[in-house]
Amino acid sequence: MEMEQFYYDNKIVKNFLYATLFWGVIGMSVGLLLAYYFLFPTLTEGISWLSFGRLRPLHTNAVIFAFVGNAIFAGSYYSMQRLLKARMYSDFLSKLNFWGWQLIILGAAITFPMGISTSKEYAELEWPFDIAIAIVWVAWGANMIGTLIKRRQRHIYVAIWFYLATFVAVALLHIFNNLEFPIALTSMKSYSVYAGVQDALVQWWYGHNAVAFFLTTPFLGLMYYFVPKAANRPVYSYRLSIIHFWSLIFIYMWAGPHHLLYTALPEWAQNLGVVFSVMLIAPSWGGMINGLLTLRGAWDKVRTEPVLKFFVVAITGYGMATFEGPTLALKNVNAIAHFTDWIIAHVHVGALAWNGFLTFGMIYYLVPKMWKTNLYSIRLANAHFWIGTLGIVFYTIPLYIAGFTQASMWKQFYPDGNLVYGNFLDTVNAILPMYAMRAIGGTLYISGAIMAIINVIQTIRQGQKVTDELAEAPALAPISKKRVAGETLHHWLERKPVQMTIWATIAVAIGGAVQIIPTLLVKENIPTIAEVKPYTPLELEGRDLYIREGCVGCHTQMVRPFRSEVERYGEYSKAGEFVYDRPFLWGSKRTGPDLHRLGGKYNNNWHFNHMLDPRETSPGSIMPSYPWLIKNELNTDRLLQKMRTLSKLGVPYNEDDFKFAQENLAVQARAIANSLLNDPNFVANYEASKKNAEVRGEKFIPIEKREIVAMIAYLQRLGVDIKAKKENAEK
């Protein structure tokens, strides 16, 4: 049989490996800084672009899309070429994938600290970046499909099944979750086409399945390639891999609503999410078992080779996280865990162990292979393994304890019916030692990552530079398009990439369609409330400031129908209250109290002082201060564009609303400013700042034109519509 010679493109793999390590340290460093903010909330006081709310999406996006994303591309480009016995279809598409992805990440690193964010978890980037992501993602998919077409290997190995499913599923999720209207082509501001409950369902259909199809399925593909290679053993069970693949990609898409249990989401959608979440245990553990049992007969190598050590802990972490996930989807467990640090611990078991350790194991395997040398230091790699493992333990276990503590304290009552811990800050102060341990764990983990970088640099220095690696394989021989004698249906499908991609697309699309379409089209799912009105111009500007500052990262706006929450916050939240919320702001973590019934609870001066110095109004608070809100002039240049865009999306603003928008905003702002002037302390400070501005020859901004007034207007609006309904009913 005549052999064909060709070259593997190693340069694209190396570029993604460099990017993985670089962005990994950046993302982890930002996360570590955020962990220390809980202990030292005034660490970067007064610096808006270093505030917790603005940096949190930078951390999550850098770790997920920069660190993990680049690792996916590095591993997939390396393994696909060798599994298909072909160079990637297009060097241009490979370069577009690499440089486009890095520019998107750089854009995120610039815009998030500026406060440019949609606030939708794991999808915070604004509309120009969403378009860029789609283009770059299609470049990766087209390159993969093109390589499949020109392959020299007949059957498509299991790793590539997972890459194909990742491509079609993430494309589907990204497009539908990020349907949004920019207020202008010259603006980075947009509004979601979905509102309230519908936006929440679509977002968590995306959010859960971003974990499924960005953090799980591509890494399973990497597991199926690199674990057998490193262990020099075949995959334990081919049949199990088939069951694992199809059941996983079908079931995963149904599980998103378990993030919204006991919320205003329709009950049928919640229950559907619970059922399929529990079913996820089977395929998830099927994959874990297949991975671990592939190492049968190689346990002696596990003791001596750091690559296999990382893989074992990674697969075990995957098993733990995928057992815990369905458990957390049970309603009685979710009622305890949701909004607590238990969820943060759960997420980081997957992120640090499964994604992090599989990535490091892959890097330790790839770098010596690609530079034709041995790893610089086995001892340093083993030290990384142990310090990283210790970091995971120190990070997650204290957060589990913190979560249990929060849940217990939030729900305790005295015999007379009063809350034992009526002050939310009692809980915050109780878990500060756990936050300190978490910070230590994060420090250990990033120290291990730095060890990896040193080891990689030294390994590259002693190796050879091989940009294009020579390989050879026989040309793909013709074969019948129909099934041949003795060929199973799946074996036939494995040599038909187009058919496999179509069936994978159908499998991942069904769950989302069944849940989302009825919620969007059937009005009975979202009952309206007549008293709920659109936001006033000033409240709308305040809401956008709330989004800019990332307040949703610490505060929820969803009072669940539990006795403890109703007693603490007020009337539980109704679906009809959110019909004008684009995007929804229900949140997923209570570092601070829920705000959905905040309106009218405190006077305007309290809110002003709380933003200026949270510890003055709430002793023991770990909330950062927001002095720039008090100093900055409110920019209302885009107000009319915002209102007209929302009107196109269904918010019932009329021509008078547009015509008098600025006037109405000014009237409401003056009313709030006048109430602030009732405080003698405020007046004294205000007059002093006015005189200082005159002395320095600076422009003095009247209080009614500052951002803080818009923020106060929005906070005072929260939850008051239900109060209006009650008052009307009483009358």
Side-chain angles (χ1 to χ4, degrees), residues 20-52:
T20 299
L21 290 168
F22 174 77
W23 290 116
V25 170
I26 298 296
M28 293 174 201
S29 298
V30 176
L32 187 60
L33 177 62
L34 297 178
Y36 279 102
Y37 278 170
F38 286 89
L39 305 172
F40 308 104
T42 61
L43 192 61
T44 56
E45 190 169 38
I47 307 174
S48 61
W49 55 276
L50 285 178
S51 64
F52 182 93

Side-chain angles (χ1 to χ4, degrees), residues 541-552:
E541 292 287 7
R543 191 174 198 270
D544 285 341
L545 291 174
Y546 185 95
I547 291 169
R548 186 190 75 184
E549 300 304 333
C551 303
V552 70

Side-chain angles (χ1 to χ4, degrees), residues 251-476:
I251 295 173
Y252 241 132
M253 278 289 189
W254 297 76
H258 78 226
H259 289 265
L260 300 170
L261 299 183
Y262 295 109
T263 68
L265 187 72
E267 191 76 15
W268 65 266
Q270 294 184 39
N271 293 336
L272 206 56
V274 171
V275 170
F276 280 90
S277 297
V278 173
M279 290 168 63
L280 265 176
I281 292 178
S284 298
W285 272 50
M288 179 196 69
I289 290 167
N290 219 4
L292 288 178
L293 292 185
T294 297
L295 296 170
R296 287 188 315 163
W299 291 110
D300 288 338
K301 292 179 70 177
V302 172
R303 284 196 293 270
T304 58
E305 296 189 15
V307 169
L308 293 180
K309 285 189 179 76
F310 278 99
F311 285 161
V312 167
V313 172
I315 297 167
T316 304
Y318 170 66
M320 292 170 62
T322 53
F323 174 79
E324 187 181 19
T327 303
L328 287 168
L330 298 171
K331 280 195 164 183
N332 55 344
V333 179
N334 187 276
I336 299 169
H338 198 46
F339 295 150
T340 74
D341 281 296
W342 181 348
I343 306 302
I344 310 303
H346 163 64
V347 168
H348 282 81
V349 167
L352 301 177
W354 169 234
N355 296 121
F357 267 32
L358 195 76
T359 296
F360 289 126
M362 181 186 77
I363 290 171
Y364 283 130
Y365 174 84
L366 276 181
V367 171
K369 290 277 185 187
M370 299 191 71
W371 274 269
K372 308 300 180 186
T373 186
N374 296 319
L375 187 66
Y376 169 71
S377 174
I378 296 292
R379 181 176 293 181
L380 188 59
N382 280 323
H384 172 198
F385 170 78
W386 288 112
I387 198 170
T389 302
L390 197 62
I392 295 171
V393 171
F394 271 75
Y395 192 103
T396 56
I397 291 178
L399 286 187
Y400 281 117
I401 297 170
F404 303 151
T405 302
Q406 287 167 313
S408 172
M409 293 179 73
W410 289 348
K411 294 178 181 294
Q412 287 186 47
F413 283 87
Y414 285 116
D416 64 3
N418 290 316
L419 287 163
V420 174
Y421 301 101
N423 186 345
F424 187 90
L425 287 172
D426 293 337
T427 310
V428 174
N429 292 320
I431 61 177
L432 285 178
M434 291 73 144
Y435 283 164
M437 293 296 290
R438 184 258 296 272
I440 293 170
T443 304
L444 290 171
Y445 194 88
I446 196 172
S447 299
I450 293 169
M451 289 179 181
I453 291 175
I454 295 169
N455 216 348
V456 166
I457 291 172
Q458 293 300 109
T459 303
I460 292 172
R461 282 180 175 176
Q462 71 185 21
Q464 305 171 34
K465 185 178 180 181
V466 182
T467 302
D468 294 306
E469 184 178 344
L470 181 64
E472 62 178 16
L476 193 63

Side-chain angles (χ1 to χ4, degrees), residues 538-586:
L538 187 64
E539 291 161 0
L540 179 61
E541 292 287 7
R543 191 174 198 270
D544 285 341
L545 291 174
Y546 185 95
I547 291 169
R548 186 190 75 184
E549 300 304 333
C551 303
V552 70
C554 290
H555 293 283
T556 59
Q557 289 185 27
M558 174 52 59
V559 183
R560 297 174 296 176
F562 299 149
R563 178 190 171 201
S564 58
E565 295 202 11
V566 172
E567 182 69 25
R568 186 183 302 275
Y569 302 118
E571 183 77 10
Y572 70 90
S573 304
K574 314 294 193 300
E577 294 183 80
F578 304 101
V579 293
Y580 303 124
D581 283 11
R582 299 173 188 269
F584 84 111
L585 294 174
W586 295 359

Side-chain angles (χ1 to χ4, degrees), residues 207-282:
H208 178 80
N209 292 305
V211 173
F213 287 96
F214 200 88
L215 299 177
T216 303
T217 55
F219 268 69
L220 289 168
L222 299 179
M223 178 195 80
Y224 274 114
Y225 179 81
F226 286 103
V227 171
K229 280 287 186 182
N232 198 25
R233 304 277 302 174
V235 170
Y236 170 68
S237 172
Y238 165 72
R239 285 186 178 180
L240 184 56
S241 68
I242 295 173
I243 297 169
H244 175 211
F245 173 73
W246 289 105
S247 57
L248 190 78
I249 68 170
F250 174 73
I251 295 173
Y252 241 132
M253 278 289 189
W254 297 76
H258 78 226
H259 289 265
L260 300 170
L261 299 183
Y262 295 109
T263 68
L265 187 72
E267 191 76 15
W268 65 266
Q270 294 184 39
N271 293 336
L272 206 56
V274 171
V275 170
F276 280 90
S277 297
V278 173
M279 290 168 63
L280 265 176
I281 292 178

Side-chain angles (χ1 to χ4, degrees), residues 135-156:
I135 292 170
V136 173
W137 193 254
V138 168
W140 178 63
N143 214 2
M144 175 164 51
I145 293 167
T147 310
L148 281 164
I149 292 170
K150 72 170 194 176
R151 71 194 189 279
R152 294 180 179 86
Q153 174 64 42
R154 173 66 61 190
H155 284 89
I156 304 169

Side-chain angles (χ1 to χ4, degrees), residues 167-177 205 253 505 508-510:
F167 168 61
V168 296
V170 171
L172 193 70
L173 293 162
H174 175 75
I175 290 168
F176 281 96
N177 185 54
W205 169 73
M253 278 289 189
T505 304
V508 301
I510 292 172

